[in-house]
Amino acid sequence: MNTLDGNTRPVFSVVIPVWNEQEVIPVLYERLVQTMDSTGESWEVIFVNDGSRDRSLELLTDLSRRDPRVKVLNFSRNFGHQIAITAGFDYAEGDAVIVMDADLQDPPEVLLRMIEKWREGYDVAYAVRTKRVGETKFKLWTASAFYRLIRYIADVDIPLDAGDFRLMDRKVVLAMRQLREKNRFMRGLSSWVGFKQVAVEYERAARYAGETKYPLRKMLRLANNAITSFSHVPLQLAMYTGFFFAGLAGLGIVIAVVLRLFGHDTLTGQATTLVSVLFLGGIQLIFLGIIGEYLGRIYDEVKNRPLYLIADAIGFDAPVAPNSVTPDSLRTRQRDGQSSHVQLAERLPASKV
Ligand code: UDP
Ligand code: MG
């Protein structure tokens, strides 16, 4: 870890997004220390407090006071899981960076297997769930359907049943820092950057305590971000559907003309007309909506707001790595483990620093 002369970076950084996880933090910390100490290397953990309303921040600040390896980024509000991971990547100093959930669904022991792969020379080790315990049938089914759909339509190869739980080499992290898109699907981006990747299988445990922070609404938004960020298929679908119905209508015209010429007046009745008009109207609205989704995302990019705002950065040492992108406001050492009030600022992408 960063020593007083500030010349070394930790070998491992663990990034953990936290939103209202007060029940799990003490146990999480204990298991993490056990696991990471067993590697025999230096390490740091960066907790990203994503606008928790419970005592999470207090507990984390306390940990940071007692253990200098614990660092806390406190967001100014809830920005969401994917953004919290992004911030962790932006501030992580380790040669390898590991992302895991706070709730111990991603058992810290699996980290050791990822680290092994990293030592073998892989740049990314992502965890694949062979089994998930303690989740609803609905969640299992929708997750499984989603992973298969995204695999089918995405431009990049996104592995099946892999979450955000993964280890990345520093060079991958530096690549990830350059991707500043606003509606983020981190595991897609992690596939997009490439490098040598390998899967590590594990059984996903049940949440240690508390409730899932991913209700259906958020899951749908994540799925939506994943699809629109990595595929143009929904947009192309409009064209295919258009061709199909134009063809069908062409055929209908021919049939109508032929029937009329031969004196059969069978195409009477308003129901057919009404139903087909409503049907096509519906389809057009659906595709307008799909275009709207992409348009909204373009708008988000154009506004170019920062991805997140940090209210406090606690426990950070003066970073020294030449490619460190830690902003100046963070470079001053913290005194007495007190939280510093860092200016509201987003981390600049590595390329701009
Ligand atoms: N989380 C977060 N911000 C949010 C939602 C979740 O930082 O807006 C964190 C949460 O504290 C946890 C991780 O993201 O560490 C994954 O959330 P959760 O375990 O609830 O998701 P699930 O495992 O149910 O998909
Ligand atoms: Mg969870």
Side-chain angles (χ1 to χ4, degrees), residues 101 103 105 135 204 207 212:
D101 285 358
D103 58 5
Q105 277 193 295
E135 287 179 298
R204 192 162 212 227
R207 216 174 208 287
T212 174

Side-chain angles (χ1 to χ4, degrees), residues 12 14 32-41 43 98 111 115:
F12 298 114
V14 184
L32 193 69
V33 169
Q34 241 173 31
T35 313
M36 293 313 291
D37 279 349
S38 76
T39 63
E41 304 279 8
W43 57 277
I98 299 152
L111 296 185
I115 289 172

Side-chain angles (χ1 to χ4, degrees), residues 17 19 21 50 78 81 102-103 105 139 207 212-213 218:
W19 186 43
E21 304 281 10
D50 188 13
N78 179 265
H81 176 212
D103 58 5
Q105 277 193 295
K139 175 134 187 180
R207 216 174 208 287
T212 174
K213 309 297 185 295
K218 279 196 189 171

